[in-house]
Amino acid sequence: MRAIFLAVYRFAYTNIIRRLIFRSSAQETHQQMLRLLASLDRSPLFNSLLAAARRLVFPPHECSVGGVRLTNPLILAAGLVKGEGFETEEQAAAAVARGENIIPGWRAMPRLVGPVEFGSFTRHPRLGNPGVIVWRDETTHSTQNRIGLRNPGVKAAAVFLARHRHNLPACFGINIAVSPGITEPDRQEIEIAESFRAFLDQNIRPSWFTLNLSCPNTEDDPGSRQTEEQTRRLCRAALDAIGTDNVPLWVKISPELAPEQYRVLIRVFHETGVQAVIATNTLPRPAPNDPALTAGVGGGKLHAAALEAVCILAREKTLNNYAVDIIGCGGILDGCSYRQFRETGADAAQYWSALVYRGPLAAALIESELQHGNT
Ligand SMILES: Cc1cc2nc3c(=O)[nH]c(=O)nc-3n(C[C@H](O)[C@H](O)[C@H](O)COP(=O)(O)O)c2cc1C
């Protein structure tokens, strides 16, 4: 039954739905998808149907990774369920008070695909970058974006999630990024602590927190946060803020760091008590409409660099017996690209671009291709 459903879905998405969707630009599609998610969130009936669809297409595959019991080892990466942008904290709070859905997809996406990482959220709300900010490259099955950490800020996000606590999924993560432009280490630590506490103080305990040290599309320099000293400070600040609340901490890092930098980072994660590393975020590349700006590349063009990062991290982990799980992320588009990560040492995986090229049930297709050895 599952195999037949997935075969029909694969045919329909690749040959009909994707062709129709790709008549619109990546940016228009992205906005339409968020509007669709917001309306799906509203309907309990649709959410029950989405959950039924998930039970039908996802084989039961529980696993333990990074201190978390996952219903499935393929996690929807941060960046889709991250919320609207606002100029000020007051405006974001007012939208929550009016009952607006400031985080489209919070309810529907986990029902349909299982584990989802919400965010990135920053300490204060951000409108993100103006103009065209999302692209796709169909020949390589890649995406590119410079959304620029558009999000409602941690305070409004936490109040919003608290308001909906009874309908939150059993398994979800919250990804928190350091605000771009904050360079003083002390200020960064305060922001990180306040951001984690914003959720915990509202009694929102996700299955895991991710500290995102690697957002490339804000003209900020994420590389400077991934030095030994800075990473250690930020991880400690996050872990101190989590305190006795007992939520595992994961950290998301960049592709194309020097091999020695990956070796240092995984040692720091082991020493500080970070339970998993997500390798990697997007590749910083010139934006298609303005080479002076940077936009992060995901999908096919990221795959080799992300796999290389996982390879170095996994070797170092085995050599030193580090207690840090590795979550591969970058161009996981089918069973073959997923298998490469698994064989290289990834304990689980995250995906984003696969949603674009293989549709909302991408993870179910990828899992089934891995199981049956076809792509
Ligand atoms: C439109 C878009 C927005 C994203 N926003 C975030 C974000 O806010 N935080 C984050 O950690 N990663 C973000 N990402 C990166 C993804 O989580 C993922 O790391 C990256 O796309 C690589 O995975 P992929 O090759 O499967 O696309 C975003 C990606 C896309 C395409």
Side-chain angles (χ1 to χ4, degrees):
M1 179 70 171
R2 177 177 297 131
I4 295 170
F5 184 91
L6 281 176
V8 172
Y9 164 81
R10 187 197 336 244
F11 179 85
Y13 188 82
T14 313
N15 296 295
I16 304 167
I17 303 171
R18 190 170 76 188
R19 286 188 188 169
L20 291 174
I21 291 175
F22 280 16
R23 286 185 185 172
S24 304
S25 70
Q27 175 123 341
E28 281 161 358
T29 309
H30 188 70
Q31 284 158 352
Q32 281 162 5
M33 182 156 39
L34 292 177
R35 281 197 291 275
L36 175 68
L37 286 175
S39 57
L40 289 177
D41 283 343
R42 273 200 296 276
S43 162
L45 174 67
F46 261 116
N47 280 281
S48 307
L49 289 175
L50 294 177
R54 174 163 58 89
R55 283 193 294 275
L56 176 69
V57 297
F58 281 93
H61 190 168
E62 281 213 355
C63 57
S64 228
V65 176
V68 181
R69 192 96 202 123
L70 293 170
T71 48
N72 189 288
L74 272 168
I75 304 165
L76 177 59
L80 180 65
V81 184
K82 68 185 297 179
E84 306 289 348
F86 291 89
E87 211 166 330
T88 65
E89 210 152 60
E90 291 68 34
Q91 287 170 3
V96 179
R98 285 194 299 271
E100 287 176 22
N101 181 354
I102 64 161
I103 309 183
W106 68 273
R107 192 178 193 185
M109 272 330 269
R111 297 289 178 293
L112 181 63
V113 305
V116 174
E117 191 166 292
F118 293 4
S120 298
F121 301 111
T122 50
R123 169 64 190 85
H124 297 282
R126 291 175 53 85
L127 284 172
N129 293 320
V132 179
I133 47 172
V134 187
W135 300 267
R136 56 180 173 246
D137 178 42
E138 292 173 39
T139 46
T140 59
H141 283 195
S142 301
T143 53
Q144 195 165 4
N145 87 89
R146 49 177 276 103
I147 292 194
L149 286 173
R150 171 185 171 85
N151 80 96
V154 291
K155 292 258 167 155
V159 172
F160 176 82
L161 295 179
R163 215 173 228 234
H164 295 285
R165 76 170 69 255
H166 299 299
N167 285 310
L168 286 179
C171 181
F172 72 104
I174 291 182
N175 174 313
I176 288 173
V178 184
S179 297
I182 307 279
T183 48
E184 311 84 56
D186 291 349
R187 185 76 222 134
Q188 288 179 354
E189 284 174 45
I190 293 169
E191 281 225 341
I192 286 299
E194 288 178 352
S195 300
F196 282 79
R197 286 311 319 169
F199 291 99
L200 296 168
D201 290 347
Q202 289 289 337
N203 211 10
I204 295 298
R205 282 181 182 68
S207 314
W208 72 93
F209 274 118
T210 293
L211 174 62
N212 177 10
L213 298 180
S214 52
C215 184
N217 54 39
T218 57
E219 276 51 79
D220 212 19
D221 172 21
S224 66
R225 294 205 192 96
Q226 294 168 81
T227 59
E228 174 165 6
E229 196 204 329
Q230 275 292 75
T231 303
R232 193 183 296 280
R233 286 180 72 141
L234 293 173
C235 292
R236 286 221 172 108
L239 286 160
D240 287 349
I242 294 171
T244 54
D245 275 298
N246 231 354
V247 179
L249 179 67
W250 300 357
V251 178
K252 185 165 181 180
I253 60 175
S254 296
E256 291 188 333
L257 300 178
E260 183 54 23
Q261 203 170 350
Y262 287 118
R263 289 194 276 272
V264 166
L265 286 175
I266 193 160
R267 173 167 54 75
V268 171
F269 299 150
H270 171 75
E271 287 168 358
T272 50
V274 169
Q275 297 197 48
V277 53
I278 304 170
T280 65
N281 208 321
T282 47
L283 271 175
R285 290 290 181 268
N289 61 348
D290 184 349
L293 299 173
T294 303
V297 171
K301 284 189 197 165
L302 169 64
H303 182 69
L307 198 61
E308 173 68 11
V310 167
C311 181
I312 300 167
L313 292 165
R315 213 179 298 137
E316 199 63 8
K317 169 181 160 161
T318 310
L319 266 178
N320 297 285
N321 214 7
Y322 289 149
V324 182
D325 284 341
I326 299 173
I327 298 173
C329 180
I332 295 179
L333 296 159
D334 50 29
C336 176
S337 44
Y338 181 32
R339 183 178 311 108
Q340 287 172 311
F341 273 98
R342 302 293 308 216
E343 288 175 356
T344 306
D347 301 284
Q350 292 195 343
Y351 65 97
W352 204 118
S353 300
L355 270 190
V356 174
Y357 292 100
R358 312 216 58 199
L361 298 179
L365 287 179
I366 295 170
E367 274 251 26
S368 119
E369 289 162 357
L370 181 81
Q371 262 177 23
H372 299 106
N374 58 338
T375 53

PDB file of all heavy atoms in Angstrom, residues 281-299:
ATOM      1  N   ASN A 281      25.059  24.235   7.283  1.00  0.00           N
ATOM      2  CA  ASN A 281      24.189  25.277   6.748  1.00  0.00           C
ATOM      3  C   ASN A 281      24.540  25.476   5.268  1.00  0.00           C
ATOM      4  O   ASN A 281      25.316  24.711   4.707  1.00  0.00           O
ATOM      5  CB  ASN A 281      24.397  26.569   7.556  1.00  0.00           C
ATOM      6  CG  ASN A 281      23.140  27.434   7.570  1.00  0.00           C
ATOM      7  OD1 ASN A 281      22.442  27.547   6.555  1.00  0.00           O
ATOM      8  ND2 ASN A 281      22.845  28.050   8.692  1.00  0.00           N
ATOM      9  N   THR A 282      24.015  26.532   4.667  1.00  0.00           N
ATOM     10  CA  THR A 282      24.221  26.752   3.220  1.00  0.00           C
ATOM     11  C   THR A 282      25.616  27.298   2.903  1.00  0.00           C
ATOM     12  O   THR A 282      26.316  27.807   3.775  1.00  0.00           O
ATOM     13  CB  THR A 282      23.166  27.746   2.701  1.00  0.00           C
ATOM     14  OG1 THR A 282      23.117  28.852   3.588  1.00  0.00           O
ATOM     15  CG2 THR A 282      21.808  27.108   2.610  1.00  0.00           C
ATOM     16  N   LEU A 283      25.965  27.206   1.605  1.00  0.00           N
ATOM     17  CA  LEU A 283      27.260  27.711   1.111  1.00  0.00           C
ATOM     18  C   LEU A 283      27.123  29.189   0.761  1.00  0.00           C
ATOM     19  O   LEU A 283      26.270  29.529  -0.067  1.00  0.00           O
ATOM     20  CB  LEU A 283      27.603  27.025  -0.216  1.00  0.00           C
ATOM     21  CG  LEU A 283      28.358  25.730  -0.282  1.00  0.00           C
ATOM     22  CD1 LEU A 283      28.410  25.263  -1.738  1.00  0.00           C
ATOM     23  CD2 LEU A 283      29.763  25.905   0.261  1.00  0.00           C
ATOM     24  N   PRO A 284      27.957  30.047   1.309  1.00  0.00           N
ATOM     25  CA  PRO A 284      27.855  31.459   0.922  1.00  0.00           C
ATOM     26  C   PRO A 284      28.356  31.669  -0.516  1.00  0.00           C
ATOM     27  O   PRO A 284      29.494  31.310  -0.815  1.00  0.00           O
ATOM     28  CB  PRO A 284      28.777  32.178   1.914  1.00  0.00           C
ATOM     29  CG  PRO A 284      29.446  31.132   2.714  1.00  0.00           C
ATOM     30  CD  PRO A 284      28.993  29.780   2.281  1.00  0.00           C
ATOM     31  N   ARG A 285      27.487  32.206  -1.374  1.00  0.00           N
ATOM     32  CA  ARG A 285      27.854  32.457  -2.771  1.00  0.00           C
ATOM     33  C   ARG A 285      27.237  33.785  -3.226  1.00  0.00           C
ATOM     34  O   ARG A 285      26.266  34.237  -2.617  1.00  0.00           O
ATOM     35  CB  ARG A 285      27.311  31.335  -3.678  1.00  0.00           C
ATOM     36  CG  ARG A 285      28.024  29.984  -3.500  1.00  0.00           C
ATOM     37  CD  ARG A 285      29.452  30.026  -4.055  1.00  0.00           C
ATOM     38  NE  ARG A 285      30.145  28.756  -3.913  1.00  0.00           N
ATOM     39  CZ  ARG A 285      30.919  28.378  -2.898  1.00  0.00           C
ATOM     40  NH1 ARG A 285      31.100  29.194  -1.862  1.00  0.00           N
ATOM     41  NH2 ARG A 285      31.536  27.224  -2.886  1.00  0.00           N
ATOM     42  N   PRO A 286      27.761  34.410  -4.292  1.00  0.00           N
ATOM     43  CA  PRO A 286      27.164  35.665  -4.761  1.00  0.00           C
ATOM     44  C   PRO A 286      25.681  35.475  -5.108  1.00  0.00           C
ATOM     45  O   PRO A 286      25.306  34.445  -5.667  1.00  0.00           O
ATOM     46  CB  PRO A 286      27.973  35.986  -6.023  1.00  0.00           C
ATOM     47  CG  PRO A 286      29.250  35.221  -5.880  1.00  0.00           C
ATOM     48  CD  PRO A 286      28.921  33.987  -5.086  1.00  0.00           C
ATOM     49  N   ALA A 287      24.865  36.460  -4.763  1.00  0.00           N
ATOM     50  CA  ALA A 287      23.436  36.371  -5.090  1.00  0.00           C
ATOM     51  C   ALA A 287      23.259  36.474  -6.602  1.00  0.00           C
ATOM     52  O   ALA A 287      23.964  37.244  -7.254  1.00  0.00           O
ATOM     53  CB  ALA A 287      22.682  37.500  -4.393  1.00  0.00           C
ATOM     54  N   PRO A 288      22.320  35.708  -7.186  1.00  0.00           N
ATOM     55  CA  PRO A 288      22.146  35.724  -8.643  1.00  0.00           C
ATOM     56  C   PRO A 288      21.849  37.111  -9.213  1.00  0.00           C
ATOM     57  O   PRO A 288      22.222  37.415 -10.329  1.00  0.00           O
ATOM     58  CB  PRO A 288      20.953  34.789  -8.876  1.00  0.00           C
ATOM     59  CG  PRO A 288      20.940  33.891  -7.693  1.00  0.00           C
ATOM     60  CD  PRO A 288      21.461  34.702  -6.541  1.00  0.00           C
ATOM     61  N   ASN A 289      21.175  37.972  -8.439  1.00  0.00           N
ATOM     62  CA  ASN A 289      20.799  39.290  -8.988  1.00  0.00           C
ATOM     63  C   ASN A 289      21.754  40.409  -8.576  1.00  0.00           C
ATOM     64  O   ASN A 289      21.586  41.547  -8.980  1.00  0.00           O
ATOM     65  CB  ASN A 289      19.369  39.653  -8.570  1.00  0.00           C
ATOM     66  CG  ASN A 289      19.225  39.735  -7.062  1.00  0.00           C
ATOM     67  OD1 ASN A 289      20.126  39.313  -6.324  1.00  0.00           O
ATOM     68  ND2 ASN A 289      18.115  40.251  -6.596  1.00  0.00           N
ATOM     69  N   ASP A 290      22.742  40.102  -7.748  1.00  0.00           N
ATOM     70  CA  ASP A 290      23.716  41.122  -7.332  1.00  0.00           C
ATOM     71  C   ASP A 290      24.931  40.436  -6.717  1.00  0.00           C
ATOM     72  O   ASP A 290      24.928  40.080  -5.539  1.00  0.00           O
ATOM     73  CB  ASP A 290      23.070  42.073  -6.308  1.00  0.00           C
ATOM     74  CG  ASP A 290      24.029  43.207  -5.939  1.00  0.00           C
ATOM     75  OD1 ASP A 290      25.232  43.130  -6.314  1.00  0.00           O
ATOM     76  OD2 ASP A 290      23.584  44.154  -5.279  1.00  0.00           O
ATOM     77  N   PRO A 291      25.988  40.274  -7.532  1.00  0.00           N
ATOM     78  CA  PRO A 291      27.159  39.529  -7.044  1.00  0.00           C
ATOM     79  C   PRO A 291      27.850  40.173  -5.842  1.00  0.00           C
ATOM     80  O   PRO A 291      28.657  39.523  -5.178  1.00  0.00           O
ATOM     81  CB  PRO A 291      28.098  39.520  -8.252  1.00  0.00           C
ATOM     82  CG  PRO A 291      27.349  40.112  -9.391  1.00  0.00           C
ATOM     83  CD  PRO A 291      26.098  40.754  -8.893  1.00  0.00           C
ATOM     84  N   ALA A 292      27.469  41.428  -5.530  1.00  0.00           N
ATOM     85  CA  ALA A 292      28.085  42.058  -4.355  1.00  0.00           C
ATOM     86  C   ALA A 292      27.454  41.542  -3.066  1.00  0.00           C
ATOM     87  O   ALA A 292      27.999  41.752  -1.976  1.00  0.00           O
ATOM     88  CB  ALA A 292      27.916  43.571  -4.455  1.00  0.00           C
ATOM     89  N   LEU A 293      26.299  40.879  -3.187  1.00  0.00           N
ATOM     90  CA  LEU A 293      25.606  40.361  -1.992  1.00  0.00           C
ATOM     91  C   LEU A 293      25.802  38.850  -1.884  1.00  0.00           C
ATOM     92  O   LEU A 293      26.042  38.173  -2.884  1.00  0.00           O
ATOM     93  CB  LEU A 293      24.108  40.674  -2.084  1.00  0.00           C
ATOM     94  CG  LEU A 293      23.750  42.160  -2.147  1.00  0.00           C
ATOM     95  CD1 LEU A 293      22.265  42.337  -2.419  1.00  0.00           C
ATOM     96  CD2 LEU A 293      24.150  42.861  -0.841  1.00  0.00           C
ATOM     97  N   THR A 294      25.669  38.350  -0.660  1.00  0.00           N
ATOM     98  CA  THR A 294      25.844  36.915  -0.444  1.00  0.00           C
ATOM     99  C   THR A 294      24.484  36.244  -0.242  1.00  0.00           C
ATOM    100  O   THR A 294      23.608  36.802   0.420  1.00  0.00           O
ATOM    101  CB  THR A 294      26.700  36.687   0.818  1.00  0.00           C
ATOM    102  OG1 THR A 294      27.932  37.366   0.641  1.00  0.00           O
ATOM    103  CG2 THR A 294      26.968  35.213   1.051  1.00  0.00           C
ATOM    104  N   ALA A 295      24.348  35.062  -0.833  1.00  0.00           N
ATOM    105  CA  ALA A 295      23.109  34.275  -0.633  1.00  0.00           C
ATOM    106  C   ALA A 295      23.513  32.820  -0.456  1.00  0.00           C
ATOM    107  O   ALA A 295      24.412  32.323  -1.139  1.00  0.00           O
ATOM    108  CB  ALA A 295      22.176  34.448  -1.835  1.00  0.00           C
ATOM    109  N   GLY A 296      22.839  32.118   0.460  1.00  0.00           N
ATOM    110  CA  GLY A 296      23.257  30.752   0.815  1.00  0.00           C
ATOM    111  C   GLY A 296      22.713  29.706  -0.150  1.00  0.00           C
ATOM    112  O   GLY A 296      21.516  29.660  -0.414  1.00  0.00           O
ATOM    113  N   VAL A 297      23.604  28.862  -0.647  1.00  0.00           N
ATOM    114  CA  VAL A 297      23.226  27.807  -1.594  1.00  0.00           C
ATOM    115  C   VAL A 297      22.996  26.491  -0.850  1.00  0.00           C
ATOM    116  O   VAL A 297      23.841  26.053  -0.067  1.00  0.00           O
ATOM    117  CB  VAL A 297      24.329  27.619  -2.658  1.00  0.00           C
ATOM    118  CG1 VAL A 297      24.061  26.390  -3.512  1.00  0.00           C
ATOM    119  CG2 VAL A 297      24.444  28.857  -3.526  1.00  0.00           C
ATOM    120  N   GLY A 298      21.843  25.865  -1.120  1.00  0.00           N
ATOM    121  CA  GLY A 298      21.554  24.538  -0.580  1.00  0.00           C
ATOM    122  C   GLY A 298      21.237  23.585  -1.716  1.00  0.00           C
ATOM    123  O   GLY A 298      21.186  23.984  -2.887  1.00  0.00           O
ATOM    124  N   GLY A 299      20.996  22.318  -1.401  1.00  0.00           N
ATOM    125  CA  GLY A 299      20.646  21.346  -2.436  1.00  0.00           C
ATOM    126  C   GLY A 299      21.876  20.750  -3.099  1.00  0.00           C
ATOM    127  O   GLY A 299      22.956  20.655  -2.503  1.00  0.00           O
TER     128      GLY A 299
END
